[in-house]
Structures are given as structure tokens and as C-alpha cells.
């Protein structure tokens, strides 16, 4: 029996000195399976089922490639060249106690997600994933 399907992309958090998060994971695929986990020394935050936005600035790419490299433009326009796609996530991760952390992450095709997470007090922390 052969099963096919898309595996989710899983990224591990890079903990840094400016962040209270000691560990974390971002899994994104089709929406329902999307998951963000953030861990501090005494709390775990989790968000599930959020949307991963996919955008391509076709107007800017048309200006850049249409007259200069029409074959490349055709591939971009047809969706065959995903190097110009920008992905983004906005979600709120909640702890078991009800505390919330709002996160905004972005990345381009082939790059690693990064952005900022903001706690309920308004303190913002960088968030980077491998």
C-alpha cells in the first residue's frame, strides 16, 4: 500500500539571550495541522490550527522580470517559481493558565521563520526558528 501526502514543515526555535523562551517548535502545513509551541522555564504556550499566509508581489515582480526575462516571469506568474513567495503567520499561543503570547512570523521560500512574539504586558521578544 502506498500513502502519499504532504508532510508538515517542522522548525525548532533558536533560543537567544533577549528571549524568555527556552524552547519552541513551529509546524506548518495546511492549516489544521499548524502548531506553535513556546516554552519558558515555568510555562508552555501553544497555538493550533492557524493559517499560514502565502503572498507573492506580482506587480513588483512583473516590473522586474517581464521585459528583461520573460521566461522567468512566466514561471513566476504560473506559480512554478516559488523563490519569490513570502509566508507569514499571525497567531496567539495560550498557556494552560490562560496567559497569552501573540506572535508574528515571516519567511521566504527556503528561509527560516523569524519575527516577534509579544506577551500580555506588551513586552516584545525576537523569535527565530531553524
Amino acid at each position: 500500500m502506498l500513502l502519499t501526502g504532504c508532510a508538515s514543515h517542522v522548525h525548532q526555535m533558536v533560543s537567544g539571550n533577549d528571549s524568555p523562551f527556552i524552547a519552541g517548535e513551529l509546524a506548518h502545513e495546511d492549516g489544521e495541522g499548524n502548531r506553535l509551541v513556546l516554552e519558558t522555564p515555568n510555562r508552555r504556550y501553544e497555538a493550533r490550527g492557524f493559517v499560514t499566509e502565502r503572498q507573492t508581489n506580482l506587480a513588483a515582480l512583473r516590473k522586474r522580470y517581464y521585459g528583461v526575462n520573460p521566461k522567468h516571469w512566466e514561471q513566476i506568474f504560473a506559480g512554478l517559481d516559488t523563490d519569490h513567495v513570502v509566508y507569514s503567520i499571525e497567531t496567539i499561543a495560550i498557556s494552560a493558565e490562560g496567559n497569552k503570547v501573540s506572535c508574528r512570523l515571516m519567511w521566504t521560500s527556503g528561509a527560516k521563520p523569524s519575527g516577534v512574539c509579544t506577551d500580555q504586558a506588551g513586552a516584545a521578544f525576537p523569535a527565530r526558528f531553524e
Side-chain angles (χ1 to χ4, degrees):
M1 177 183 287
L2 177 65
L3 295 175
T4 61
C6 294
S8 66
H9 302 284
V10 179
H11 305 275
Q12 299 301 316
M13 177 171 257
V14 177
S15 52
N17 296 340
D18 298 338
S19 178
F21 307 114
I22 57 170
E25 181 177 86
L26 170 64
H28 58 93
E29 52 182 66
D30 63 1
E32 276 187 43
N34 289 352
R35 180 181 75 254
L36 174 66
V37 176
L38 303 169
E39 295 183 25
T40 65
N42 57 2
R43 191 168 282 143
R44 176 185 168 98
Y45 299 87
E46 191 167 337
R48 290 185 174 271
F50 50 85
V51 175
T52 302
E53 296 286 332
R54 178 185 168 140
Q55 299 174 346
T56 305
N57 187 341
L58 290 176
L61 293 169
R62 184 177 194 279
K63 284 180 185 178
R64 183 173 179 186
Y65 293 108
Y66 183 73
V68 178
N69 190 343
K71 189 175 261 188
H72 191 179
W73 163 248
E74 295 279 330
Q75 291 176 332
I76 294 168
F77 189 73
L80 301 174
D81 182 343
T82 59
D83 289 345
H84 307 282
V85 176
V86 176
Y87 299 92
S88 62
I89 291 172
E90 288 189 36
T91 191
I92 298 174
I94 304 172
S95 71
E97 301 82 20
N99 295 21
K100 298 178 182 179
V101 174
S102 172
C103 294
R104 291 180 171 184
L105 305 171
M106 291 182 69
W107 66 99
T108 57
S109 182
K112 306 300 182 197
S114 66
V116 65
C117 293
T118 307
D119 66 14
Q120 286 180 250
F125 307 101
R128 293 184 309 125
F129 294 83
E130 288 292 322

